[in-house]
Amino acid sequence: MNLRFAKMHGLGNDFMVIDLVTQNLEIEPETVRRWSNRRTGIGFDQLLTLECPTEPDADFWFRIYNADGSGAEQCGNGARCIAHFVRRENLSPKTELELQTESGRIHTVLVDQGVRVDMGIPSTHPDDVPFAAEQDRLSHVVEVEGEVEGNVKGEVETYEITPVSMGNPHGVLFVESAGTADVAAAGSALTGHRRFPQGANIGFCEVVDRGFVRLRVYERGVGETPACGTGACAAVVAGRLKGKLDESVKVSLPGGKVRIAWKGPGAPVRMTGPAELVYEGHVEF
């Protein structure tokens, strides 16, 4: 089979995007792992597929697969790329799309600055993340014993984490400097921590002022990526609930900047940022 695809990125968070509206393919984890390899495959953080919707008032079904072949419920940078892809491929004349995902609906709008995505209403309730909480509170102390690089056996490292669900699980840590945070070691230890039964994306957030933060994210099933859209949303939600941030915040990630707006509990999070095509290609399958 000769399969058409597009390589795209949102702030360096890169994707293989496949149109399964006009093409047919059964996605297998091993295929995703093979294609995601940056030496012998196409190379990407996530594989995105666009499919026919199952609900009459939705435009498309949007699915996400991590580089390790596991499924993901939500992806903000990917949603922006999907909206751009739909327009480029003339799959819909609409500038606004209603997308089905594993975690519910999201709404995209093409704007001058790129794509605005309504990421839905966040939750910090432990059951929604999910997170194994000892108490129903905003932030929790998580202990890691002998798992972080450099720790001796039996040594315990503690982290204060704010669990947030953006349709997918996140843990947000506020740090003095995102640039010097030990993202690789701490992120690796925390992403699969027993208190996150489904794993989590771990964000290391530095608050510069009430309207600007720096963020690095260790993504579940991927590792550290140049950008994470849902991670940016989760960081702003956690910062707002802690009284650190205003309603509109610019988030600087290693790959670039996005604008996140959130009015507060009960309101949806809105993210605006770019989406770019890298190249189009075919793969024999």
Side-chain angles (χ1 to χ4, degrees), residues 47-65:
L47 169 68
L48 312 178
T49 65
L50 192 72
E51 305 172 22
C52 293
T54 59
E55 298 174 357
D57 58 340
D59 294 296
F60 298 98
W61 187 289
F62 164 42
R63 295 188 193 275
I64 308 130
Y65 302 86

Side-chain angles (χ1 to χ4, degrees), residues 72-76 119 122-126 128-131 138 140 142 161-173 190-191 195-196 198-204 215-220 225 227-238 253:
E73 304 90 344
Q74 194 58 276
C75 180
M119 297 298 297
S123 175
T124 57
H125 192 282
D128 294 335
V129 177
F131 179 81
L138 181 61
H140 306 261
V142 173
I161 292 182
T162 303
V164 179
S165 172
M166 288 302 311
N168 58 347
H170 289 267
V172 180
L173 291 76
L190 293 168
T191 188
R195 297 188 69 178
F196 288 107
Q198 295 179 11
N201 303 306
I202 306 299
F204 298 77
L215 179 70
R216 293 168 64 193
V217 181
Y218 190 100
E219 290 198 48
R220 175 186 56 169
T225 58
C228 177
T230 54
C233 295
V236 171
V237 168
L253 299 122

Side-chain angles (χ1 to χ4, degrees), residues 245-264:
L245 300 173
D246 291 334
E247 183 176 316
S248 180
V249 180
K250 183 180 289 186
V251 180
S252 176
L253 299 122
K257 297 179 177 66
V258 290
R259 173 69 66 176
I260 307 296
W262 187 51
K263 292 183 178 180

Side-chain angles (χ1 to χ4, degrees), residues 7 47 143 151 171 196 207-208 221 223 267 280:
K7 180 69 183 290
L47 169 68
E143 295 184 345
N151 281 4
F196 288 107
V207 177
V208 179
E280 295 175 309

